[in-house]
Amino acid sequence: MARNLRATFLYVVFSIFFCAFLSHHYLHRDPAAVVSLPNITTATALNFDVVDDQNDDHPRRPPPTKSPPVPPITTTTITSTAIINHAIHENLSPAHHPKIPPQPSPLPLLLLSTVSLLLPDWEVLVIVSPEHTPTLMTHPRGYRHDDGQYLCSFPNGDISPATPAGVLHFPDRATFKCVLPERSRRRLPFPRPVLTKSRAPPPQRSSPAPEMLRWTYVAYDSLTTEDDVVVFAKGLNHRQGINREPSEFKCVFYRGDDVANGVRTAVTNSMQEVFRCQRPSELNASFPLFSSSSSSSSSSSRSPPPAGEDPERIKVTLETVLDKRVLPSVAYYNPPRKLAAKSSGRALLCACTMVYNVAKFLKEWVVYHSKIGVQRFLLYDNGSDDNLKDVVEELVRQGYDVNTYFWYWPKAQEAGFSHSAVYAKDSCTWTAYIDVDEFIYSPSWFNSSSPSSSMLHSLLTLPPPVGAPTDDHDHDAHDANHNHNNNNNKRSILTSNAEELASLSLGQVHIGCHEFGPSNRTEHPAEGVMQGYNCRKQLENRHKSIVLLDAVDNSLLNVIHHFSLKPGYCARKLSIREALVNHYKFQAWPEFKTKFRRRVSAYVVDWTQQVNPGSNDRTPGLGFSAVEPQGWPGKFCEVLDNGLKDLTRKWFALEVASSSSEVHNNYRMAWQR
């Protein structure tokens, strides 16, 4: 009996080890999760990572003699021991990996450096270093959205197709996006991929691959003004209305990855994702950053950078004073930068918005608003992959002043608007912060036979109010602004004190919104949203703003498209008889369901997350997935409103004789192709 028990025990132990071996073996060779990697000895690798730590057993083919010289490789990894790993929480969903197309003929070998960020929905953003972006952009095959040959190659052998995403500015850095393969999501930390044009496994490394940065904990952009440096960063002020003391942080300016020896300056403001810092040249003249010719602000204390040192290669980040924790950064310190508009002079009125895949809507929005007074448009592109660039170029050729700024960062609408208040200040006097599905309109314009630029301009010269209406939304910016550290002197953006009003200047105009429903539409109307949707909800909802940029508070705080103002300025809420915004919010389902991709506000929960079901941002009757509710075309229809529809038909309809399905009642709108 004892012998049988021992034999049974040994058999069980052996079976367990054998099963574990098989599980481990096939887990790492799952054909459904990993694309096969043939042994291609002549394939080209665009290795964007550090390459000086490769084993001698894997020599790399030298580039052909005719290839252009390659800039020296630089490391973008911050080596401070104070940086810690912050796990993220994402929705784990199956990923379907597209088939990799056949490889083209081998190309010259290029060795480039990158840094990678892990974004929501397992998307990876690969940022090419500024030193190597020019090499990539001038490559014979070019940096094209239709190239289709780039791959993200991960240390475990997984690969994922990579496509160009856009170019980050100041300095210029090419970016690519790919999806983290499902198998690579199973282990922490998530290693940085190598950007390549080869399906061969990445070169062997003598040390682990650097970890990817997280979009929730990173300094991602900066702007230099004449007086200070504005740093945009995630992960420090986590909740709306709760902002940490500026004294808790230092700004750090450093070269390469030498954070320890960087120059530290005081943080003067901490609000949302915006941190304002003293310029290092004002505190330490021995740390030369810019020559006097590279900045619009001259100072005798600034000296030229050392020989061979590019002034745009200085990075900036934030450090917590208490524990010396350094925030990972992809932001650079630059000379003061301003919007280089298509036309000269400072516009009286501009429009600014955050966009994602709005190419089909943009021309209608630009043409309409340009005719009633908007002179310049600034679009913060949140990673569009439609033909937005082509539409913008077409509008520019037609004489419209349309500018784009690549702003790929997730959930950073408020930060983007704060950025614009600094970036466009010298190019725009007033700026309307409205979305591409929103159109400003006044019932008083209906008797006008044609549009005029004075229509919107007249709203900016109205006297301050004799009293201010109270509304929950009117105080959102003030409430979010309330912070025990340095905001006791901040005023509400609206005031009802008559004596105080007499001494104030108009700094912001609020315009209420009417929200339109699908109006029995099942697809996007070819004639545009103003003609296609004419049934709305009865009650006014929230408001949008036109802001005097000189009046914006130094904190750059903004909430729901309106800003906190400096002392001495007030806001005026217009009545719906004076002006309103037609918000074509609930469109035909194929258009509306794209809102499930991601909410752009930093403080609004994505609709796919099963939290805050009663939020005003959510759509009544809609669940947590992009499933069309029953009866969607007829929803949100309480008032038939043809005001703007009839007005724009009178102004913009062109008579045509055609049987085309896009032509209705023998007319075509001016923005129709």
Side-chain angles (χ1 to χ4, degrees), residues 347-352 364-377 429-434 438-445 448 450-463 506 508-512 544-548 572 574 578-582 644 647 651-652:
L348 176 63
L349 179 60
C350 299
C352 178
E364 178 184 12
W365 187 74
V366 169
V367 170
Y368 172 79
H369 284 103
S370 68
K371 298 302 182 183
I372 61 174
V374 176
Q375 299 158 290
R376 186 167 291 152
F377 299 85
T429 305
W430 292 80
T431 297
Y433 289 91
I434 55 176
E438 297 172 338
F439 294 77
I440 303 175
Y441 157 65
S442 173
S444 65
W445 300 345
S448 301
S450 61
S452 167
S453 61
S454 63
M455 290 177 168
L456 284 182
H457 295 178
S458 64
L459 303 179
L460 311 178
T461 58
L462 294 171
L506 183 64
Q508 190 161 213
V509 175
H510 296 323
I511 308 175
K544 300 303 170 75
S545 298
I546 305 177
V547 185
L548 179 67
R572 189 181 195 277
L574 303 184
E578 294 172 302
L580 53 91
V581 172
N582 275 14
L644 188 54
L647 182 61
W651 286 352
F652 298 103

Side-chain angles (χ1 to χ4, degrees), residues 63 110 148 155 164 221 338 381 412 445 540 556 584 599 628:
L110 296 176
D221 208 333
K338 302 172 184 177
D381 182 7
W445 300 345
E540 176 186 339
L556 304 178
Y584 300 98
R599 308 302 290 153
E628 181 177 358

Side-chain angles (χ1 to χ4, degrees), residues 658-670:
S658 173
S659 59
S660 170
S661 61
E662 293 187 357
V663 176
H664 299 269
N665 300 323
N666 296 322
Y667 72 88
R668 178 188 295 270
M669 303 304 291

Side-chain angles (χ1 to χ4, degrees), residues 500-558:
E500 189 176 14
L501 282 169
S503 63
L504 298 179
S505 300
L506 183 64
Q508 190 161 213
V509 175
H510 296 323
I511 308 175
C513 297
H514 280 160
E515 295 181 341
F516 282 71
S519 306
N520 290 317
R521 289 278 184 172
T522 57
E523 60 182 12
H524 175 66
E527 66 274 25
V529 297
M530 290 185 288
Q531 292 295 303
Y533 302 104
N534 64 343
C535 201
R536 62 172 174 83
K537 297 171 70 174
Q538 182 174 4
L539 298 179
E540 176 186 339
N541 184 47
R542 294 187 173 180
H543 58 257
K544 300 303 170 75
S545 298
I546 305 177
V547 185
L548 179 67
L549 294 188
D550 286 338
V552 172
D553 187 77
N554 190 62
S555 67
L556 304 178
L557 173 70
N558 66 92

Side-chain angles (χ1 to χ4, degrees), residues 339 351-353 376-380 401-405 420 423-424:
L339 171 62
C352 178
T353 189
R376 186 167 291 152
F377 299 85
L378 178 56
L379 314 177
Y380 278 74
D401 192 344
V402 184
N403 308 268
T404 58
Y405 192 93
S420 73
Y423 185 55

